[in-house]
Amino acid sequence: MQCKRGRLDRLLAKHFQLPRKQVRLLLLTHQVSVDGTIVTDMDFQVDEFMHVACQGQKISGDCPRYYMLNKPVGVVSATIDDEHQTVLELLPAALRDGLHIVGRLDLNTSGMILLTNDSRWSEALMTPNAHVAKRYQVTLKHPVTVEYQRAFQAGMYFNFEDITTLPAQLIIHSGHQVEVILREGKYHQIKRMFGHFRNQVLALHRSQIGALVLDPALAPSQWRALTPQEVAGARVSLTGDDHQIASKFDG
Ligand code: URA
């Protein structure tokens, strides 16, 4: 999702369907304000959250909104779908406008989905270079061994994309119950990593993205708004260990 940033004169021209000459006149005659300050500069840059007004009438300026949601299995990580209910449809219709999904999950994966209208925030969280950690609970058909841990840590070669996965942490709770911490998001990544050992993922659940932990009070299909502290701190990684691993990538 690209950040919606652009020139003020273009926004005005599009909104009023005016030629640039007339837009220039509006600006030069002090009729346009951005966040309450008169702006006369044609090149002025605005984003979707700046309050632009002309002759006192609001033209644009959304409030940034951020939600976490507990996606159930069977609901699709999309904004529109012909076949399945979408994560967006779990929110009241009045809140849906302008929201996009931050980090999709497969149809049969449950857990944390983030939704926002702030594309700069979602880009910062999901840009591949940020290596923001994502934590998953995994139930497996066959018991795992320490061999898996070594392979996850070393990175696994994916033939189709011709890439080697970044080091991933595998925490073994019992033979069939593990946690995986990824710092990237390749297509069906966890299922493919266990598939390498011919082991089937029976259940997959995401419990954490960066510093944001799925609120245990949220039953499947429930959602809540993020607090300002959660919004500000989301990109911070999981643990001290994680910082070491992340700095290895960044360096
Ligand atoms: N890995 C998968 O295989 N599926 C997901 O939904 C997320 C990570």
Side-chain angles (χ1 to χ4, degrees):
M1 186 86 193
Q2 285 294 306
C3 176
K4 291 180 207 138
R5 206 176 156 77
R7 285 168 56 133
L8 177 60
D9 61 344
R10 293 218 178 107
L11 178 89
L12 293 165
K14 193 166 169 209
H15 182 84
F16 292 116
Q17 296 288 303
L18 283 177
R20 285 190 55 163
K21 221 171 163 181
Q22 277 179 267
V23 168
R24 196 182 161 84
L25 198 62
L26 282 176
L27 287 161
L28 292 178
T29 53
H30 294 194
Q31 306 209 48
V32 180
S33 68
V34 178
D35 290 339
T37 303
I38 296 291
V39 173
T40 53
D41 178 3
M42 298 277 282
D43 296 335
F44 194 87
Q45 294 285 315
V46 287
D47 68 32
E48 68 263 49
F49 303 122
M50 289 178 167
H51 290 260
V52 178
C54 183
Q55 297 167 337
Q57 297 282 330
K58 181 179 159 188
I59 291 174
S60 75
D62 272 352
C63 286
R65 290 175 291 131
Y66 311 87
Y67 305 101
M68 76 161 71
L69 180 147
N70 187 358
K71 174 183 132 32
V73 165
V75 171
V76 71
S77 294
T79 48
I80 318 172
D81 194 85
D82 290 341
E83 208 181 326
H84 300 283
Q85 188 179 28
T86 69
V87 286
L88 205 65
E89 286 162 357
L90 296 175
L91 267 72
L95 293 183
R96 291 179 203 157
D97 196 33
L99 293 182
H100 62 270
I101 298 164
V102 188
R104 285 159 202 276
L105 290 173
D106 295 341
L107 186 65
N108 59 0
T109 302
S110 59
M112 187 193 249
I113 287 276
L114 299 171
L115 292 146
T116 184
N117 60 349
D118 182 351
S119 36
R120 256 197 269 186
W121 184 79
S122 55
E123 273 172 35
L125 202 58
M126 285 298 150
T127 182
N129 290 339
H131 301 300
V132 169
K134 281 143 265 177
R135 187 189 290 265
Y136 296 85
Q137 269 75 51
V138 191
T139 309
L140 293 152
K141 186 165 183 186
H142 306 295
V144 297
T145 62
V146 288
E147 182 55 32
Y148 285 55
Q149 267 174 330
R150 278 189 226 113
F152 275 53
Q153 184 60 38
M156 227 171 249
Y157 180 68
F158 283 179
N159 197 17
F160 184 71
E161 298 96 330
D162 187 24
I163 51 120
T164 300
T165 58
L166 294 175
Q169 255 172 285
L170 177 67
I171 303 157
I172 303 177
H173 293 302
S174 71
H176 297 263
Q177 286 294 338
V178 301
E179 276 186 295
V180 175
I181 300 175
L182 295 183
R183 288 166 192 81
E184 60 187 338
K186 304 292 175 212
Y187 181 67
H188 294 328
Q189 183 162 347
I190 292 183
K191 291 173 193 147
R192 290 164 77 193
M193 289 177 90
F194 286 104
H196 175 84
F197 292 95
R198 301 197 191 287
N199 201 345
Q200 192 187 340
V201 170
L202 298 181
L204 184 57
H205 177 84
R206 183 161 67 196
S207 57
Q208 191 165 355
I209 300 176
L212 296 172
V213 177
L214 181 62
D215 188 334
L218 294 178
S221 300
Q222 289 187 332
W223 59 273
R224 70 161 171 82
L226 296 184
T227 65
Q229 291 76 14
E230 285 173 326
V231 172
R235 250 193 75 169
V236 176
S237 217
L238 297 173
T239 61
D241 257 14
D242 268 17
H243 284 300
Q244 278 173 17
I245 293 165
S247 61
K248 211 165 83 182
F249 296 142
D250 294 338

